[in-house]
Amino acid sequence: FLKAFLNWAYDYEYHNVKDYEKVKRIDLIKETEEVDIIYLTESELMKLYDLDLEEEKFKKVRDVFVFQCFTGVRYSDIEKLSREDIRDACWHLRTQKTRQIIQIPLSGYALSILERYRDNPQPLPVISNQKMNKYLKDVCEKAEINQPIKTVTFKGSKREETISEKFKKIGTHTARRTFVSLSLQKGMKPELIMKITGHTTLRMMQKYVKIEYGNVRDEMDKFWGNSLRIA
């Protein structure tokens, strides 16, 4: 494309240099990472929701994170939440990233989190994203969310694997993936999820989607019969 543009510019005498024709196409091999999309299973999310924490800072981090999991929003939108945005158990949100106006119905779980801070000036005890991610790993470790997670990295043709505990991979971005994945597992239609998350195309939402193998197995059995399963 660049050469085509330069040829056009040469033809119309915007420049008089043809050295670029000597440059050959180079295939750049970027360092890529293939890793399972990290999200919380429903049991992990509820374990975190019910977790008894002693330190106040950890309680607040947990509450903000699970609220994010129950609503599917970006952390930048959590930071902008005000009480005026909550009306009739619905969050009327203008997203920070895309400036979309979306309405997010709040579940009983999300409302219960807001109720914990009804006497506070702000709806939620939000801290900086950096501190949030740091403390969140500590909270998830306390919840024993420590399933081994494999990370596969390619540098050129060289394949490298690392294995770490799940809590080390969890950040505020995990909440959005958790909401999408669990909503799909529960049978919510993708187009309805998109209205809540603000995604405009299914392709944009795909990177957040992670379905457990067990759910795929159940769907296969439902349509094809469980006689396919070998005991």
Side-chain angles (χ1 to χ4, degrees):
F1 287 132
L2 178 57
K3 281 188 175 182
F5 169 74
L6 292 174
N7 283 332
W8 171 87
Y10 181 86
D11 291 340
Y12 282 88
E13 299 182 350
Y14 287 105
H15 71 85
N16 59 1
V17 179
K18 299 279 279 188
D19 290 347
Y20 61 87
E21 291 185 341
K22 301 175 184 176
V23 179
K24 295 182 179 179
R25 179 173 177 265
I26 300 174
D27 291 319
L28 298 177
I29 301 177
K30 296 182 179 179
E31 180 178 320
T32 60
E33 186 177 34
E34 293 185 359
V35 61
D36 285 342
I37 291 177
I38 306 300
Y39 79 108
L40 298 185
T41 63
E42 184 174 8
S43 61
E44 289 171 336
L45 175 58
M46 297 315 299
K47 186 177 183 180
L48 200 56
Y49 177 81
D50 294 325
L51 186 64
D52 185 18
L53 294 164
E54 294 183 2
E55 293 188 58
E56 195 66 25
K57 67 177 181 181
F58 288 152
K59 288 181 182 179
K60 293 178 179 179
V61 165
R62 183 270 312 278
D63 289 345
V64 172
F65 179 71
V66 296
F67 182 85
Q68 196 184 352
C69 289
F70 292 131
T71 55
V73 299
R74 300 177 182 89
Y75 194 72
S76 58
D77 293 322
I78 290 283
E79 291 176 313
K80 302 297 181 182
L81 175 63
S82 67
R83 296 200 182 277
E84 292 73 25
D85 297 330
I86 308 296
R87 302 191 297 275
D88 300 322
C90 185
W91 182 0
H92 299 260
L93 166 68
R94 181 182 290 275
T95 62
Q96 179 73 10
K97 183 175 181 180
T98 64
R99 305 300 181 186
Q100 290 174 283
I101 299 177
I102 57 179
Q103 296 182 24
I104 303 175
L106 299 177
S107 67
Y109 291 114
L111 290 171
S112 70
I113 297 297
L114 292 177
E115 180 65 17
R116 295 176 187 179
Y117 300 96
R118 62 180 178 180
D119 296 327
N120 287 22
Q122 298 299 321
L124 290 171
V126 178
I127 59 177
S128 71
N129 199 0
Q130 183 179 11
K131 286 186 177 179
M132 178 75 180
N133 281 320
K134 180 180 183 297
Y135 295 151
L136 182 56
K137 290 174 174 56
D138 295 330
V139 171
C140 290
E141 183 179 13
K142 291 177 183 295
E144 298 181 347
I145 301 175
N146 50 17
Q147 172 190 347
I149 298 292
K150 179 192 291 186
T151 300
V152 180
T153 304
F154 291 92
K155 294 181 180 179
S157 60
K158 186 179 179 181
R159 186 177 189 270
E160 297 180 358
E161 290 186 5
T162 58
I163 297 177
S164 60
E165 294 167 299
K166 188 173 183 177
F167 68 84
K168 296 179 181 178
K169 297 288 186 178
I170 293 175
T172 55
H173 58 278
T174 308
R176 193 163 166 84
R177 296 170 179 172
T178 297
F179 174 80
V180 173
S181 297
L182 295 186
S183 295
L184 285 171
Q185 289 178 27
K186 290 176 177 295
M188 187 180 291
K189 295 179 180 179
E191 55 269 30
L192 296 181
I193 298 174
M194 290 166 61
K195 284 184 175 295
I196 295 172
T197 61
H199 290 111
T200 55
T201 65
L202 281 171
R203 183 178 180 182
M204 291 175 63
M205 194 177 70
Q206 281 299 319
K207 64 181 180 179
Y208 293 99
V209 175
K210 169 64 181 175
I211 302 297
E212 287 183 299
Y213 174 76
N215 293 81
V216 178
R217 178 75 266 174
D218 291 343
E219 287 297 299
M220 180 68 81
D221 287 348
K222 183 171 71 175
F223 287 103
W224 290 94
N226 57 15
S227 60
L228 288 176
R229 184 175 296 176
I230 299 175

